[in-house]
Amino acid sequence: TKDSEWYRANKDNPDLVAEGLQIAEDALLGAATNVHVQAQACKDRNKGDAVKQVECRKMYADAADLYEKYLTVYPNSKKTYEFSEYYADALYYAGKLPEAIKAYTAVRDSALDNKYQEEAAMMIIKSYEDTIEQMKADKKLEDPPIPDEKNTKPPVTPLAMPEVYQKFAASLDWFVKHLPHNPRVPDLRYAAAVLQLRYRNWPESRRRLQEVADLSCATKPEAGFKAYEAILATYFIDFSIEDEEAKDCALGKLLMVADQFGESACGKSPKATDYIARFNTIKSTVKAAVITKRLTLALENEEKGTNKQLTQCREVGGIAIVTGTAPAPGAAPGATPAAGGASKVSTEVDIG
């Protein structure tokens, strides 16, 4: 290097200095790649041998140290980008996941080239997955269950998402945004949505699940079916609340999602028969529940001489949709109901 005695002694001979520096650079790079190759051979040769794999990881760590030294001493080398990727790989297989994530991120975001961008972006995701699995094994992290009507009660508030999951989610979002044509994108988009669902972030999980459905139904309806199922599950949970207004809001959302499914590419898929039947059951069940409420309250009013009204959602709830008093499609919030509808829901049961 330029700090060595040899350099100071020969600095007036530029050709000799250039040759010497090149030899030193090649020697360091050769040492790093040689140890890396040996580490790869060790890993492949000793699959299933936990003790030997520890030795292999140590070799990868040695290779990473040499790559780091090379990148520090020769930051402007034409080989910097390529060997930055090798450095990240060596760190990953050495088990140094935080350092590997940082190194892969540098490659992914590098302005020098994008040859390894896609690979680095995927390895960031994999490194977070490995980190999460290790944290679970060490009892430092526990996933909340996928919400359902048994394990989640309304009103639902988001759970605090651990930092490692926040970073994992960010890595998924980066991949989806910057590499939209990669075949893994649909699965990664769905994984990010489910992560929000696990942590009970209703608005964000619903937005993401709807995006999954919108983008998947035409080409991969099975993914769209799963997304719609998950959205429905959140509204069924909301429906179990005791507050009558909130319950009616959830009913309205259930009906709207069911109708939306029927109009979507998912609903028109030949594979949607069972889902269509279920969604129709949901709609008929909701309508029956509203009619039963109207009947019960009408009988009470007649018996007691009262004039009680059904408690409704301030937006568009199930009662308004079933009774035809919801605003016309496309109307502004708070608009007058469509022609023929009543501004208040009568508890009188229609005859005939």
Side-chain angles (χ1 to χ4, degrees):
T1 67
K2 294 183 179 181
D3 294 330
S4 66
E5 291 185 10
W6 180 89
Y7 177 83
R8 287 194 291 271
N10 296 280
K11 64 180 181 179
D12 294 329
N13 188 338
D15 292 339
L16 181 62
V17 166
E19 181 180 353
L21 290 176
Q22 188 62 55
I23 291 172
E25 179 180 347
D26 291 345
L28 180 54
L29 198 53
T33 55
N34 184 51
V35 175
H36 196 168
V37 169
Q38 291 179 39
Q40 290 173 322
C42 177
K43 176 172 68 72
D44 294 340
R45 185 173 60 248
N46 296 290
K47 291 179 179 178
D49 188 331
V51 175
K52 287 290 186 181
Q53 287 298 325
V54 172
E55 297 178 11
C56 300
R57 286 196 291 273
K58 176 62 172 62
M59 295 173 69
Y60 274 114
D62 291 341
D65 287 343
L66 290 168
Y67 282 132
E68 183 177 22
K69 184 176 181 180
Y70 174 82
L71 294 170
T72 301
V73 175
Y74 305 103
N76 299 318
S77 168
K78 294 180 180 179
K79 301 174 183 178
T80 294
Y81 178 79
E82 182 176 4
F83 284 94
S84 292
E85 171 71 6
Y86 296 166
Y87 170 54
D89 285 343
L91 287 169
Y92 174 80
Y93 288 107
K96 297 185 175 184
L97 297 177
E99 295 89 341
I101 290 170
K102 183 177 179 180
Y104 280 125
T105 301
V107 174
R108 185 196 69 182
D109 299 341
S110 176
L112 296 175
D113 202 341
N114 65 355
K115 178 180 178 181
Y116 297 111
Q117 183 182 63
E118 196 164 321
E119 181 180 343
M122 182 52 66
M123 287 304 297
I124 293 170
I125 292 172
K126 182 165 174 48
S127 296
Y128 277 121
E129 290 175 338
D130 292 351
T131 300
I132 289 166
E133 287 305 310
Q134 186 60 55
M135 291 178 70
K136 289 179 183 178
D138 295 339
K139 308 298 182 183
K140 296 179 180 179
L141 184 69
E142 184 176 357
D143 284 344
I146 295 293
D148 59 32
E149 293 170 76
K150 293 181 180 180
N151 63 36
T152 306
K153 302 301 178 184
V156 176
T157 55
L159 302 176
M161 185 180 290
E163 184 179 7
V164 67
Y165 268 131
Q166 293 180 39
K167 292 180 177 179
F168 176 52
S171 71
L172 294 172
D173 288 344
W174 191 99
F175 197 104
V176 169
K177 178 180 179 180
H178 293 88
L179 301 167
H181 301 298
N182 185 286
R184 294 169 172 161
V185 161
D187 291 334
L188 298 181
R189 182 182 286 113
Y190 183 73
V194 171
L195 186 57
Q196 297 295 333
L197 184 67
R198 278 191 183 277
Y199 283 88
R200 278 58 174 172
N201 188 337
W202 266 196
E204 184 64 13
S205 64
R206 286 166 177 163
R207 182 190 70 78
R208 287 173 177 267
L209 287 165
Q210 189 61 59
E211 182 180 45
V212 169
D214 292 343
L215 295 173
S216 301
C217 281
T219 57
K220 195 177 180 182
E222 294 84 356
F225 296 157
K226 289 195 300 182
Y228 271 111
E229 285 272 21
I231 294 170
L232 276 179
T234 67
Y235 288 120
F236 272 117
I237 291 169
D238 285 353
F239 176 66
S240 63
I241 197 168
E242 292 185 6
D243 181 81
E244 288 297 321
E245 181 182 340
K247 187 182 287 289
D248 186 48
C249 289
L251 277 179
K253 293 295 185 181
L254 283 169
L255 286 175
M256 286 189 279
V257 171
D259 284 341
Q260 186 177 5
F261 178 85
E263 295 299 320
S264 71
C266 276
K268 294 177 172 59
S269 168
K271 300 177 182 179
T273 303
D274 291 341
Y275 290 92
I276 290 292
R278 182 173 176 229
F279 279 67
N280 285 339
T281 298
I282 290 171
K283 289 194 284 186
S284 61
T285 301
V286 170
K287 291 177 181 178
V290 171
I291 291 171
T292 300
K293 279 186 176 183
R294 293 180 72 192
L295 176 60
T296 301
L297 195 54
L299 292 173
E300 181 182 338
N301 284 339
E302 183 177 353
E303 180 181 342
K304 298 181 178 179
T306 56
N307 187 31
K308 292 182 179 180
Q309 301 292 316
L310 293 174
T311 303
Q312 296 184 75
C313 180
R314 298 178 190 181
E315 298 176 355
V316 180
I319 294 172
I321 293 175
V322 171
T323 59
T325 58
T336 302
S343 58
K344 290 185 178 180
V345 177
S346 171
T347 56
E348 295 179 5
V349 181
D350 297 332
I351 298 175

